[in-house]
């Protein structure tokens, strides 16, 4: 008798061509607000975590702001994760100013086995997951200076046994 055993480790990554990617430009976002979704597709054979880091913690334009003006505008980031068959989902929203490294958010990155928004089931090539950015028209106490405002979001993924 020869006993033979084998195992297959889980895999977790973004599907080929399914990583969150792209850019979005909204003219006059201070007057109209902004809303955009970036779709992505997971390829995870078990539970996973997705996390986000913001470069600027808001929409930022370079330079100093004169008294009574601001160079950073707030916005929100939403993660929506969909498991196989769509039966299991995970969704959370955080303000962008909670997403720089060291700030607090339920999906602050980078992702690890214990950090990030957790999807409790497998998601193998399931559509429907997205990252969304949104903000109403700007209503801060200080007016925004004229300029081009931007932020860069980095999305990471990890298996989460």
């Amino acid at each position: 008798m020869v006993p033979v055993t084998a195992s297959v480790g889980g895999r977790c990554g973004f599907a080929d061509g399914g990583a969150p990617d792209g850019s979005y430009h909204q003219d006059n976002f201070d007057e109209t607000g902004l809303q955009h979704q970036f779709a992505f597709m997971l390829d995870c054979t078990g539970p996973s975590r997705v996390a986000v880091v913001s470069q600027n913690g808001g929409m930022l334009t370079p330079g100093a702001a004169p008294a009574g003006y601001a160079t950073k505008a707030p916005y929100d980031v939403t993660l929506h994760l969909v498991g196989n068959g769509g039966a299991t989902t995970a969704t959370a929203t955080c303000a962008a100013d909670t997403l720089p490294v060291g700030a607090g958010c339920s999906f602050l990155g980078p992702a690890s086995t214990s950090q990030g928004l957790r999807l409790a089931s497998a998601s193998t090539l399931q559509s429907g997951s997205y990252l969304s950015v949104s903000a109403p028209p700007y209503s801060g106490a200080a007016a925004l200076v004229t300029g081009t405002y931007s932020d860069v979001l980095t999305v990471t993924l990890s298996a989460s046994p």
Side-chain angles (χ1 to χ4, degrees), residues 4-8:
V4 177
T5 60
S7 65
V8 174

Side-chain angles (χ1 to χ4, degrees), residues 2-64:
V2 177
V4 177
T5 60
S7 65
V8 174
R11 75 170 189 275
C12 192
F14 292 108
D16 288 342
D21 189 27
S23 61
Y24 170 67
H25 178 80
Q26 173 66 50
D27 288 329
N28 301 317
F29 77 94
D30 60 322
E31 296 174 3
T32 61
L34 58 94
Q35 175 70 46
H36 189 74
Q37 287 184 0
F38 298 90
F40 59 89
M41 191 177 297
L42 303 176
D43 190 9
C44 297
T45 58
S48 60
R49 289 189 183 266
V50 178
V52 179
V53 174
S54 165
Q55 179 178 316
N56 300 325
M59 299 295 288
L60 182 68
T61 193

Side-chain angles (χ1 to χ4, degrees), residues 11-20 38-51 79-85 88-90 111 117-131 155-160:
R11 75 170 189 275
C12 192
F14 292 108
D16 288 342
F38 298 90
F40 59 89
M41 191 177 297
L42 303 176
D43 190 9
C44 297
T45 58
S48 60
R49 289 189 183 266
V50 178
L79 269 180
H80 179 76
L81 309 176
V82 178
N84 286 347
T88 305
T89 62
L117 181 62
R118 187 170 193 268
L119 181 63
S121 70
S123 183
T124 51
L125 309 179
Q126 176 70 46
S127 62
S129 294
Y130 62 83
L131 177 142
V155 182
T156 56
L157 171 64
S158 175
S160 180

